[in-house]
Amino acid sequence: QVQLEESGGGLVQAGGSLRLSCAAPRRTFSRFNIGWFRQAPGKEREFVGAVSWTDSSTYYADSVKGRFTISRDNAKNTVYLQMNSLKPEDTAVYYCAASYLTPLTTTTNYNYWGQGTQVTVSS
């Protein structure tokens, strides 16, 4: 069983920053791509960004490009989502997920999901 655990969510004012963490067993990070998704009330789950396992290439949704940054620390078995210049529309439950399939922007290509962490951005 692959276990993913998100942390770092919370309440932040618009323009502020948060860093989310996704921890998993070493095997998951060495063999799988890691993606971040979010789901706001009344909306479908959407792709935020991802990092590939082959060359650490990153991909971002247009809505967060330039504001969010994904990085991975293999020694700590952790992937981070650094979120800067947060906007109220960023409010959602954020999930990390693992996949060995492509394209990385497709939700159904991810095999394992964490429980999610709430991010709330106040105006």
Side-chain angles (χ1 to χ4, degrees):
Q1 178 176 314
V2 175
Q3 297 174 316
L4 300 173
E5 183 69 26
E6 305 95 333
S7 62
L11 175 64
V12 64
Q13 64 182 7
S17 299
L18 284 174
R19 188 180 73 165
L20 306 185
S21 299
C22 176
R26 186 173 185 271
R27 170 68 68 171
T28 300
F29 287 92
S30 66
R31 295 186 60 188
F32 290 86
N33 310 298
I34 302 296
W36 285 95
F37 296 80
R38 66 187 182 186
Q39 187 166 23
K43 296 185 179 295
E44 296 183 351
R45 187 169 297 183
E46 65 174 344
F47 171 78
V48 174
V51 57
S52 68
W53 69 270
T54 54
D55 58 2
S56 296
S57 296
T58 54
Y59 307 86
Y60 300 96
D62 289 340
S63 60
V64 306
K65 194 173 299 182
R67 299 188 298 120
F68 291 10
T69 302
I70 295 174
S71 61
R72 63 190 304 160
D73 188 336
N74 291 333
K76 296 181 179 180
N77 301 326
T78 302
V79 170
Y80 301 99
L81 178 65
Q82 178 67 47
M83 305 185 293
N84 298 325
S85 302
L86 283 163
K87 306 174 181 179
E89 51 263 44
D90 294 319
T91 295
V93 176
Y94 284 71
Y95 302 87
C96 68
S99 176
Y100 60 87
L101 300 175
T102 56
L104 301 181
T105 55
T106 302
T107 304
T108 54
N109 284 345
Y110 288 79
N111 310 99
Y112 307 101
W113 295 81
Q115 295 298 309
T117 184
Q118 177 70 48
V119 172
T120 302
V121 184
S122 64
S123 59

Short mmCIF file of all heavy atoms in Angstrom, two decimals, residues 5-52:
data_model
loop_
_atom_site.label_atom_id
_atom_site.label_comp_id
_atom_site.label_asym_id
_atom_site.label_seq_id
_atom_site.Cartn_x
_atom_site.Cartn_y
_atom_site.Cartn_z
N GLU A 5 0.87 11.56 2.44
CA GLU A 5 0.36 12.41 3.52
C GLU A 5 0.71 13.86 3.24
O GLU A 5 1.88 14.24 3.21
CB GLU A 5 0.95 11.97 4.86
CG GLU A 5 0.42 12.74 6.04
CD GLU A 5 -1.03 12.46 6.34
OE1 GLU A 5 -1.50 11.36 6.00
OE2 GLU A 5 -1.70 13.33 6.92
N GLU A 6 -0.33 14.68 3.06
CA GLU A 6 -0.14 16.11 2.86
C GLU A 6 -0.16 16.84 4.20
O GLU A 6 -0.85 16.44 5.13
CB GLU A 6 -1.23 16.71 1.96
CG GLU A 6 -1.39 16.04 0.62
CD GLU A 6 -2.49 15.00 0.63
OE1 GLU A 6 -2.78 14.43 1.70
OE2 GLU A 6 -3.07 14.75 -0.44
N SER A 7 0.56 17.95 4.25
CA SER A 7 0.54 18.80 5.43
C SER A 7 0.92 20.22 5.02
O SER A 7 1.42 20.45 3.92
CB SER A 7 1.51 18.29 6.50
OG SER A 7 2.84 18.30 6.04
N GLY A 8 0.67 21.17 5.90
CA GLY A 8 1.06 22.55 5.66
C GLY A 8 -0.06 23.49 5.30
O GLY A 8 0.17 24.69 5.12
N GLY A 9 -1.28 22.97 5.18
CA GLY A 9 -2.40 23.83 4.86
C GLY A 9 -2.76 24.73 6.03
O GLY A 9 -2.28 24.55 7.15
N GLY A 10 -3.61 25.70 5.75
CA GLY A 10 -4.02 26.62 6.79
C GLY A 10 -4.70 27.84 6.23
O GLY A 10 -5.07 27.88 5.05
N LEU A 11 -4.85 28.84 7.07
CA LEU A 11 -5.48 30.10 6.69
C LEU A 11 -4.41 31.15 6.48
O LEU A 11 -3.53 31.35 7.33
CB LEU A 11 -6.45 30.55 7.78
CG LEU A 11 -7.11 31.91 7.61
CD1 LEU A 11 -8.01 31.90 6.37
CD2 LEU A 11 -7.91 32.26 8.85
N VAL A 12 -4.48 31.84 5.35
CA VAL A 12 -3.50 32.87 5.03
C VAL A 12 -4.20 34.03 4.32
O VAL A 12 -5.20 33.83 3.63
CB VAL A 12 -2.37 32.29 4.15
CG1 VAL A 12 -2.91 31.84 2.80
CG2 VAL A 12 -1.25 33.30 3.97
N GLN A 13 -3.70 35.22 4.49
CA GLN A 13 -4.27 36.37 3.83
C GLN A 13 -3.82 36.45 2.38
O GLN A 13 -2.77 35.91 2.00
CB GLN A 13 -3.89 37.66 4.56
CG GLN A 13 -2.41 37.97 4.55
CD GLN A 13 -2.06 39.22 5.33
OE1 GLN A 13 -2.91 39.81 6.00
NE2 GLN A 13 -0.82 39.64 5.25
N ALA A 14 -4.61 37.11 1.55
CA ALA A 14 -4.25 37.28 0.15
C ALA A 14 -2.87 37.93 0.02
O ALA A 14 -2.55 38.87 0.74
CB ALA A 14 -5.30 38.12 -0.56
N GLY A 15 -2.08 37.40 -0.89
CA GLY A 15 -0.72 37.88 -1.08
C GLY A 15 0.31 37.15 -0.25
O GLY A 15 1.51 37.32 -0.47
N GLY A 16 -0.15 36.32 0.66
CA GLY A 16 0.74 35.57 1.52
C GLY A 16 1.23 34.30 0.88
O GLY A 16 0.96 34.02 -0.29
N SER A 17 1.94 33.50 1.67
CA SER A 17 2.55 32.27 1.17
C SER A 17 2.30 31.11 2.10
O SER A 17 2.12 31.28 3.31
CB SER A 17 4.06 32.45 1.00
OG SER A 17 4.38 33.48 0.09
N LEU A 18 2.29 29.92 1.52
CA LEU A 18 2.23 28.67 2.26
C LEU A 18 3.09 27.65 1.54
O LEU A 18 3.25 27.71 0.33
CB LEU A 18 0.80 28.12 2.36
CG LEU A 18 -0.18 28.77 3.34
CD1 LEU A 18 -1.56 28.16 3.15
CD2 LEU A 18 0.30 28.57 4.77
N ARG A 19 3.62 26.71 2.30
CA ARG A 19 4.34 25.59 1.70
C ARG A 19 3.70 24.29 2.13
O ARG A 19 3.66 23.98 3.32
CB ARG A 19 5.82 25.59 2.08
CG ARG A 19 6.62 24.54 1.31
CD ARG A 19 8.09 24.51 1.67
NE ARG A 19 8.32 23.92 2.98
CZ ARG A 19 9.51 23.52 3.42
NH1 ARG A 19 10.58 23.66 2.63
NH2 ARG A 19 9.64 23.01 4.62
N LEU A 20 3.20 23.55 1.16
CA LEU A 20 2.62 22.25 1.43
C LEU A 20 3.67 21.16 1.24
O LEU A 20 4.55 21.27 0.40
CB LEU A 20 1.45 21.98 0.49
CG LEU A 20 0.33 23.03 0.46
CD1 LEU A 20 -0.81 22.55 -0.44
CD2 LEU A 20 -0.18 23.33 1.86
N SER A 21 3.54 20.12 2.04
CA SER A 21 4.45 18.99 1.95
C SER A 21 3.68 17.72 1.64
O SER A 21 2.55 17.55 2.08
CB SER A 21 5.22 18.81 3.27
OG SER A 21 5.99 19.95 3.57
N CYS A 22 4.31 16.84 0.90
CA CYS A 22 3.75 15.53 0.60
C CYS A 22 4.81 14.49 0.90
O CYS A 22 5.83 14.43 0.20
CB CYS A 22 3.31 15.45 -0.87
SG CYS A 22 2.70 13.83 -1.39
N ALA A 23 4.57 13.70 1.92
CA ALA A 23 5.52 12.68 2.33
C ALA A 23 5.03 11.30 1.92
O ALA A 23 3.84 11.01 1.99
CB ALA A 23 5.74 12.73 3.84
N ALA A 24 5.96 10.44 1.51
CA ALA A 24 5.62 9.10 1.07
C ALA A 24 6.83 8.19 1.23
O ALA A 24 7.95 8.66 1.41
CB ALA A 24 5.16 9.12 -0.38
N PRO A 25 6.62 6.87 1.16
CA PRO A 25 7.75 5.95 1.21
C PRO A 25 8.73 6.22 0.07
O PRO A 25 8.35 6.70 -0.98
CB PRO A 25 7.10 4.57 1.06
CG PRO A 25 5.71 4.76 1.57
CD PRO A 25 5.33 6.14 1.14
N ARG A 26 9.98 5.90 0.30
CA ARG A 26 11.03 6.18 -0.68
C ARG A 26 10.73 5.58 -2.04
O ARG A 26 11.00 6.20 -3.07
CB ARG A 26 12.37 5.65 -0.15
CG ARG A 26 13.57 6.00 -1.03
CD ARG A 26 14.86 5.59 -0.36
NE ARG A 26 16.02 6.03 -1.11
CZ ARG A 26 16.60 5.33 -2.07
NH1 ARG A 26 16.10 4.15 -2.41
NH2 ARG A 26 17.66 5.80 -2.69
N ARG A 27 10.16 4.39 -2.07
CA ARG A 27 9.85 3.72 -3.33
C ARG A 27 8.93 4.58 -4.19
O ARG A 27 9.07 4.63 -5.41
CB ARG A 27 9.21 2.36 -3.06
CG ARG A 27 8.62 1.66 -4.28
CD ARG A 27 9.68 1.23 -5.27
NE ARG A 27 10.50 0.15 -4.75
CZ ARG A 27 11.40 -0.53 -5.46
NH1 ARG A 27 11.57 -0.23 -6.73
NH2 ARG A 27 12.11 -1.49 -4.89
N THR A 28 7.97 5.24 -3.57
CA THR A 28 7.02 6.06 -4.30
C THR A 28 7.72 7.21 -5.01
O THR A 28 7.45 7.50 -6.19
CB THR A 28 5.95 6.62 -3.35
OG1 THR A 28 5.25 5.53 -2.74
CG2 THR A 28 4.96 7.50 -4.11
N PHE A 29 8.64 7.86 -4.33
CA PHE A 29 9.31 9.02 -4.90
C PHE A 29 10.39 8.64 -5.90
O PHE A 29 10.74 9.44 -6.77
CB PHE A 29 9.89 9.88 -3.78
CG PHE A 29 8.83 10.63 -3.02
CD1 PHE A 29 8.26 10.10 -1.89
CD2 PHE A 29 8.40 11.87 -3.47
CE1 PHE A 29 7.27 10.78 -1.20
CE2 PHE A 29 7.42 12.57 -2.79
CZ PHE A 29 6.84 12.02 -1.66
N SER A 30 10.92 7.45 -5.80
CA SER A 30 11.96 7.02 -6.72
C SER A 30 11.40 6.49 -8.03
O SER A 30 12.11 6.49 -9.04
CB SER A 30 12.85 5.97 -6.06
OG SER A 30 12.12 4.78 -5.80
N ARG A 31 10.15 6.06 -8.04
CA ARG A 31 9.58 5.43 -9.23
C ARG A 31 8.39 6.17 -9.82
O ARG A 31 8.03 5.93 -10.98
CB ARG A 31 9.14 4.00 -8.91
CG ARG A 31 10.26 3.06 -8.54
CD ARG A 31 9.73 1.65 -8.39
NE ARG A 31 9.11 1.16 -9.61
CZ ARG A 31 8.43 0.02 -9.71
NH1 ARG A 31 8.27 -0.75 -8.65
NH2 ARG A 31 7.91 -0.36 -10.87
N PHE A 32 7.78 7.05 -9.07
CA PHE A 32 6.54 7.67 -9.51
C PHE A 32 6.68 9.16 -9.71
O PHE A 32 7.46 9.84 -9.04
CB PHE A 32 5.42 7.41 -8.49
CG PHE A 32 4.95 6.00 -8.45
CD1 PHE A 32 5.60 5.07 -7.66
CD2 PHE A 32 3.85 5.60 -9.19
CE1 PHE A 32 5.17 3.76 -7.61
CE2 PHE A 32 3.41 4.29 -9.14
CZ PHE A 32 4.07 3.37 -8.36
N ASN A 33 5.88 9.67 -10.64
CA ASN A 33 5.69 11.11 -10.77
C ASN A 33 4.78 11.56 -9.63
O ASN A 33 3.91 10.82 -9.18
CB ASN A 33 5.02 11.44 -12.10
CG ASN A 33 5.70 10.77 -13.27
OD1 ASN A 33 6.87 11.03 -13.54
ND2 ASN A 33 4.98 9.92 -13.99
N ILE A 34 4.99 12.78 -9.15
CA ILE A 34 4.17 13.32 -8.08
C ILE A 34 3.44 14.56 -8.58
O ILE A 34 4.07 15.48 -9.11
CB ILE A 34 5.00 13.67 -6.84
CG1 ILE A 34 5.75 12.44 -6.33
CG2 ILE A 34 4.11 14.26 -5.75
CD1 ILE A 34 4.85 11.32 -5.84
N GLY A 35 2.14 14.57 -8.39
CA GLY A 35 1.34 15.70 -8.82
C GLY A 35 0.59 16.34 -7.67
O GLY A 35 0.37 15.72 -6.62
N TRP A 36 0.23 17.58 -7.86
CA TRP A 36 -0.62 18.30 -6.92
C TRP A 36 -1.92 18.68 -7.61
O TRP A 36 -1.90 19.16 -8.75
CB TRP A 36 0.07 19.56 -6.40
CG TRP A 36 1.15 19.31 -5.40
CD1 TRP A 36 2.48 19.19 -5.63
CD2 TRP A 36 0.98 19.14 -3.99
NE1 TRP A 36 3.16 18.97 -4.46
CE2 TRP A 36 2.26 18.93 -3.43
CE3 TRP A 36 -0.13 19.16 -3.13
CZ2 TRP A 36 2.46 18.73 -2.07
CZ3 TRP A 36 0.08 18.95 -1.78
CH2 TRP A 36 1.37 18.74 -1.26
N PHE A 37 -3.02 18.48 -6.92
CA PHE A 37 -4.34 18.82 -7.41
C PHE A 37 -5.09 19.57 -6.33
O PHE A 37 -4.69 19.56 -5.16
CB PHE A 37 -5.12 17.55 -7.80
CG PHE A 37 -4.51 16.79 -8.94
CD1 PHE A 37 -3.42 15.95 -8.74
CD2 PHE A 37 -5.02 16.93 -10.22
CE1 PHE A 37 -2.86 15.25 -9.79
CE2 PHE A 37 -4.47 16.23 -11.29
CZ PHE A 37 -3.39 15.40 -11.07
N ARG A 38 -6.15 20.24 -6.72
CA ARG A 38 -6.97 20.93 -5.73
C ARG A 38 -8.44 20.85 -6.13
O ARG A 38 -8.78 20.70 -7.29
CB ARG A 38 -6.55 22.39 -5.57
CG ARG A 38 -6.77 23.25 -6.80
CD ARG A 38 -6.16 24.63 -6.58
NE ARG A 38 -6.39 25.51 -7.72
CZ ARG A 38 -5.87 26.72 -7.84
NH1 ARG A 38 -5.08 27.20 -6.87
NH2 ARG A 38 -6.13 27.46 -8.90
N GLN A 39 -9.30 20.94 -5.13
CA GLN A 39 -10.73 20.91 -5.36
C GLN A 39 -11.42 21.91 -4.45
O GLN A 39 -11.33 21.81 -3.23
CB GLN A 39 -11.29 19.51 -5.14
CG GLN A 39 -12.74 19.36 -5.54
CD GLN A 39 -13.17 17.91 -5.62
OE1 GLN A 39 -12.58 17.04 -5.00
NE2 GLN A 39 -14.21 17.66 -6.40
N ALA A 40 -12.09 22.86 -5.06
CA ALA A 40 -12.86 23.85 -4.34
C ALA A 40 -14.32 23.41 -4.28
O ALA A 40 -14.77 22.62 -5.12
CB ALA A 40 -12.75 25.21 -5.02
N PRO A 41 -15.08 23.89 -3.30
CA PRO A 41 -16.49 23.52 -3.21
C PRO A 41 -17.25 23.80 -4.50
O PRO A 41 -17.14 24.89 -5.06
CB PRO A 41 -17.00 24.40 -2.07
CG PRO A 41 -15.79 24.65 -1.22
CD PRO A 41 -14.66 24.78 -2.21
N GLY A 42 -18.00 22.81 -4.97
CA GLY A 42 -18.79 22.97 -6.17
C GLY A 42 -18.02 22.89 -7.47
O GLY A 42 -18.59 23.11 -8.54
N LYS A 43 -16.75 22.58 -7.39
CA LYS A 43 -15.92 22.49 -8.59
C LYS A 43 -15.27 21.12 -8.70
O LYS A 43 -15.12 20.40 -7.71
CB LYS A 43 -14.85 23.58 -8.58
CG LYS A 43 -15.39 25.00 -8.64
CD LYS A 43 -14.26 26.00 -8.75
CE LYS A 43 -14.81 27.42 -8.84
NZ LYS A 43 -15.58 27.62 -10.09
N GLU A 44 -14.86 20.78 -9.91
CA GLU A 44 -14.16 19.52 -10.13
C GLU A 44 -12.71 19.64 -9.68
O GLU A 44 -12.15 20.74 -9.60
CB GLU A 44 -14.20 19.14 -11.62
CG GLU A 44 -15.58 18.85 -12.16
CD GLU A 44 -15.55 18.40 -13.61
OE1 GLU A 44 -14.48 18.49 -14.24
OE2 GLU A 44 -16.59 17.96 -14.10
N ARG A 45 -12.13 18.51 -9.37
CA ARG A 45 -10.73 18.49 -9.01
C ARG A 45 -9.89 18.92 -10.21
O ARG A 45 -10.11 18.45 -11.32
CB ARG A 45 -10.33 17.09 -8.54
CG ARG A 45 -8.92 17.01 -7.97
CD ARG A 45 -8.70 15.67 -7.29
NE ARG A 45 -9.59 15.48 -6.15
CZ ARG A 45 -9.55 14.43 -5.34
NH1 ARG A 45 -8.66 13.48 -5.55
NH2 ARG A 45 -10.41 14.35 -4.34
N GLU A 46 -8.94 19.81 -9.98
CA GLU A 46 -8.15 20.34 -11.08
C GLU A 46 -6.66 20.16 -10.83
O GLU A 46 -6.18 20.15 -9.69
CB GLU A 46 -8.46 21.81 -11.32
CG GLU A 46 -8.09 22.73 -10.17
CD GLU A 46 -8.29 24.20 -10.50
OE1 GLU A 46 -8.43 24.54 -11.69
OE2 GLU A 46 -8.31 25.02 -9.55
N PHE A 47 -5.95 20.05 -11.92
CA PHE A 47 -4.50 19.91 -11.88
C PHE A 47 -3.86 21.22 -11.47
O PHE A 47 -4.22 22.29 -11.96
CB PHE A 47 -4.00 19.49 -13.26
CG PHE A 47 -2.51 19.51 -13.42
CD1 PHE A 47 -1.74 18.48 -12.91
CD2 PHE A 47 -1.89 20.54 -14.09
CE1 PHE A 47 -0.36 18.48 -13.06
CE2 PHE A 47 -0.52 20.56 -14.25
CZ PHE A 47 0.25 19.52 -13.73
N VAL A 48 -2.88 21.14 -10.58
CA VAL A 48 -2.12 22.30 -10.15
C VAL A 48 -0.71 22.26 -10.72
O VAL A 48 -0.24 23.22 -11.34
CB VAL A 48 -2.06 22.39 -8.62
CG1 VAL A 48 -1.14 23.53 -8.18
CG2 VAL A 48 -3.45 22.58 -8.04
N GLY A 49 -0.02 21.17 -10.50
CA GLY A 49 1.34 21.02 -10.99
C GLY A 49 1.85 19.63 -10.74
O GLY A 49 1.23 18.83 -10.03
N ALA A 50 3.00 19.30 -11.32
CA ALA A 50 3.57 17.98 -11.15
C ALA A 50 5.07 18.01 -11.38
O ALA A 50 5.59 18.94 -12.03
CB ALA A 50 2.92 16.98 -12.10
N VAL A 51 5.75 17.01 -10.85
CA VAL A 51 7.18 16.84 -11.08
C VAL A 51 7.41 15.41 -11.53
O VAL A 51 6.89 14.47 -10.92
CB VAL A 51 8.01 17.20 -9.84
CG1 VAL A 51 7.60 16.35 -8.63
CG2 VAL A 51 9.50 17.04 -10.12
N SER A 52 8.18 15.23 -12.59
CA SER A 52 8.45 13.89 -13.11
C SER A 52 9.56 13.21 -12.32
O SER A 52 10.41 13.88 -11.72
CB SER A 52 8.82 13.96 -14.59
OG SER A 52 10.08 14.59 -14.77
#
